Amino acid sequence: MDHCKLFLLVSFTIINIAIGSVPELSPNTFLFCLKPELDPLEISLNRGRLSVGLPELDDFFKSHDVIKIEPWIKSATEIDRDGDIYLNRIYRSYIDENSLGRTDQSIASIQEFPFILYAEPEYIHQLFYEPNDDKFDNQCLDDMRVDLAWDYWDIPNETPGDKNILLASIDTGVDYTHPDLIDNIWVNQGEVRAWVLESGEVDIDDNGYVSALEINNYIQDNQLDENNDGESDLRDALVSGSLFMDNIDNDANGYIDDLIGWDASGEWGTPDNDPFPKDGVLNDSDWAHGTHVAGILAATTDNEIGIASPIFNGSILAVKCSEDGPETEEPGIHDGYDGITYAAKAGYFAGMRTIINNSWGSSGYSSSENSVINNAFNTYGAIVVAAAGNGDEEANDEEYAAHYPASYDNAISISAVDCNGNWGGWATYHKTVDLAAPGENIWSTIIGSGYRSWDGSSMASPNAASVMGLVWSYYPDEWSNEDVVEQVKLAAD
């Protein structure tokens, strides 16, 4: 069979044009990176004074009112690097909000030290979508020719896609209990405790793989409510001290008890293993953004409910990167690049093919951020897909501008068109845009058990990511991440 035919059937429109808006800078944080010959810093507080053991930096922190520093990518190790940029040597610095100093002054001053590789501002990233009226009949799968691509599998004897393709929603969290998602939620088999397999109580079909649905059914059957939320469901499996958790990094990927994904942000920046969106919010609020993305990526197909996904059969990796403290009403993306690094590592250590979707961004360039993308692509073999942006939202008009992470090297930038491939006059376009995909009236999952139809490049990006997953599933061993990206670009309409 001519292996190019598969791509010709999966039809996108390439937009080789793109867009300038003013990036939003964090008012009281900035990033700096140590040169590779220096060891990572040992951070301590001595009587309230910040210290890292380097007198020059200790004095700098005091004179510039830096009250806290922390690793920017909390899970980075020595193997996470992009040339001379080691991700475990990049730090986020917090300037006292009452300080009269400015971050640009601190950046200029810290760069004068010979052991500093660079320093730069930190950008505030926003979600790329615009919710609109409910329309439940339009996913654009026929328009992308996905149904024709599925014919390359002998259905029902073969199932399109592959559960070994891991599609990550780096976002506001995922409602992994949604009935149209739960059967495709990835379970980290390296973190499944031995008794679960040995007893057979959870692995009902006795196939040696414990699914999220099997865990959920076991918890419901035994009426386990370990987090005391009044419900017995998959979330109870993530509670520390439960039958499923042992507080050990069993698969050596650097994360403890990441059974079904990771929360890189927690309430106020402390990671945990529950990537569920903030509790108590409206089901179709901004907090449902990551769940909507997850449904487009890999909702369960051919299950007689809800929606389908281009990959038909894949695994959803839930990664939450939005702080959900009690005072946080609207979600932002606080730890997106930490989430990207987690997803790349999780898939790599699980022996899977990983596609990382990022439906968010800003217009500010960062060397640190680009190094995270390069590390995911080059070190861990992941594909990184990102939304190109929603145009000039204040003017409700299209915009020519670069957006990041979409415009970074080794990221695949996706702009939005309608189901027929027509330009809607509202999205972002730029020379760094690689592909366009349907991003208008896209129906997908929200928190709970429902669905909504939304617009945005946030919806276009996971459509493209899921198609790439379908393609990779056809040649999982023969093709690398570079091969998949190149073939989809070349064969797009």
Side-chain angles (χ1 to χ4, degrees):
M1 182 187 71
D2 181 354
H3 54 232
C4 290
K5 289 182 179 177
L6 179 63
F7 299 101
L8 293 171
L9 293 171
V10 181
S11 173
F12 287 119
T13 300
I14 295 179
I15 295 182
N16 201 19
I17 41 181
I19 349 180
S21 62
V22 179
E24 185 177 357
L25 300 178
S26 174
N28 69 319
T29 66
F30 67 91
L31 305 178
F32 69 88
C33 181
L34 300 176
K35 288 185 175 179
E37 55 266 28
L38 264 72
D39 291 332
L41 301 176
E42 295 185 7
I43 304 169
S44 65
L45 282 174
N46 184 13
R47 296 182 179 178
R49 180 176 177 180
L50 178 64
S51 175
V52 295
L54 289 176
E56 300 97 321
L57 278 183
D58 291 346
D59 291 342
F60 169 85
F61 295 146
K62 181 178 181 181
S63 61
H64 285 259
D65 295 325
V66 175
I67 58 175
K68 175 184 176 182
I69 70 167
E70 63 185 9
W72 185 55
I73 305 296
K74 301 176 182 68
S75 58
T77 65
E78 288 292 317
I79 66 174
D80 299 314
R81 56 177 293 201
D82 176 32
D84 287 340
I85 300 175
Y86 283 71
L87 302 189
N88 67 341
R89 290 168 173 78
I90 303 176
Y91 294 89
R92 174 187 285 133
S93 301
Y94 292 81
I95 297 176
D96 190 331
E97 294 181 357
N98 297 317
S99 174
L100 297 178
R102 302 199 313 266
T103 56
D104 58 341
Q105 294 173 333
S106 297
I107 290 170
S109 296
I110 199 171
Q111 288 186 124
E112 295 179 0
F113 295 123
F115 49 80
I116 298 295
L117 186 63
Y118 65 84
E120 61 183 1
E122 183 171 22
Y123 296 99
I124 298 175
H125 298 290
Q126 303 298 328
L127 305 172
F128 286 153
Y129 84 107
E130 301 169 6
N132 83 4
D133 296 336
D134 297 347
K135 296 176 182 177
F136 300 105
D137 58 353
N138 192 353
Q139 283 189 263
C140 302
L141 296 185
D142 290 348
D143 302 280
M144 290 192 290
R145 309 296 189 266
V146 168
D147 55 333
L148 298 180
W150 290 340
D151 287 340
Y152 278 85
W153 284 263
D154 181 20
I155 304 172
N157 299 316
E158 294 180 319
T159 302
D162 189 338
K163 283 290 179 68
N164 283 317
I165 304 296
L166 191 61
L167 295 135
S169 172
I170 312 297
D171 218 288
T172 62
V174 174
D175 179 357
Y176 44 78
T177 67
H178 193 290
D180 215 1
L181 301 181
I182 191 168
D183 204 30
N184 279 354
I185 294 294
W186 173 70
V187 174
N188 185 354
Q189 302 302 300
E191 289 291 351
V192 173
R193 297 186 68 176
W195 79 267
V196 174
L197 285 172
E198 292 172 356
S199 68
E201 294 181 41
V202 182
D203 183 20
I204 302 301
D205 58 11
D206 197 29
N207 65 351
Y209 179 91
V210 177
S211 71
L213 185 59
E214 286 175 326
I215 294 174
N216 189 71
N217 289 343
Y218 175 86
I219 291 171
Q220 289 183 338
D221 290 345
N222 290 274
Q223 298 183 333
L224 303 178
D225 183 15
E226 296 198 34
N227 63 351
N228 297 314
D229 66 349
E231 297 182 13
S232 298
D233 56 31
L234 184 57
R235 296 191 73 184
D236 292 285
L238 305 180
V239 178
S240 178
S242 78
L243 295 171
F244 295 89
M245 300 291 98
D246 59 8
N247 201 34
I248 299 173
D249 178 17
N250 291 289
D251 61 349
N253 69 358
Y255 303 84
I256 294 173
D257 290 338
D258 58 319
L259 185 68
I260 62 168
W262 196 246
D263 182 350
S265 292
E267 282 194 345
W268 300 117
T270 302
D272 60 63
N273 69 337
D274 184 6
F276 200 88
K278 181 176 179 177
D279 287 318
V281 298
L282 295 176
N283 290 6
D284 59 351
S285 69
D286 290 0
W287 283 98
H289 188 268
T291 303
H292 199 272
V293 165
I296 300 169
L297 286 172
T300 309
T301 302
D302 204 26
N303 65 342
E304 298 183 347
I305 62 169
I307 61 172
S309 59
I311 195 173
F312 199 101
N313 178 48
S315 294
I316 299 167
L317 176 59
V319 185
K320 176 174 165 289
C321 301
S322 301
E323 293 180 359
D324 61 352
E327 298 176 4
T328 306
E329 296 183 4
E330 297 297 324
I333 300 297
H334 302 95
D335 297 286
Y337 291 88
D338 214 334
I340 291 171
T341 302
Y342 165 72
K345 287 188 166 187
Y348 180 83
F349 281 93
M352 304 179 76
R353 307 290 185 266
T354 308
I355 300 175
I356 302 171
N357 184 81
N358 308 280
S359 290
W360 46 269
S362 70
S363 57
Y365 176 88
S366 162
S367 294
S368 301
E369 293 176 354
N370 203 167
S371 289
V372 169
I373 303 296
N374 291 339
N375 180 59
F377 188 84
N378 295 319
T379 304
Y380 298 107
I383 294 174
V384 181
V385 183
N390 285 351
D392 185 343
E393 297 189 47
E394 291 186 5
N396 193 28
D397 198 6
E398 64 188 48
E399 182 184 31
Y400 180 88
H403 271 265
Y404 302 97
S407 296
Y408 285 131
D409 294 339
N410 291 318
I412 311 306
S413 177
I414 309 297
S415 190
V417 290
D418 70 11
C419 288
N420 296 315
N422 298 315
W423 180 247
W426 56 265
T428 297
Y429 63 103
H430 192 256
K431 64 182 180 181
T432 56
V433 170
D434 297 293
L435 300 165
E440 294 185 7
N441 301 323
I442 305 301
W443 188 31
S444 189
T445 49
I446 57 173
I447 298 171
S449 58
Y451 304 84
R452 290 291 186 275
S453 181
W454 287 354
D455 296 344
S457 60
S458 278
M459 287 63 251
S461 181
N463 260 324
S466 189
V467 167
M468 289 185 182
L470 180 67
V471 170
W472 211 350
S473 74
Y474 203 80
Y475 299 102
D477 299 319
E478 297 90 340
W479 284 0
S480 68
N481 55 346
E482 294 178 277
D483 295 329
V484 173
V485 169
E486 186 65 16
Q487 289 292 339
V488 171
K489 285 183 181 179
L490 289 174
D493 180 1

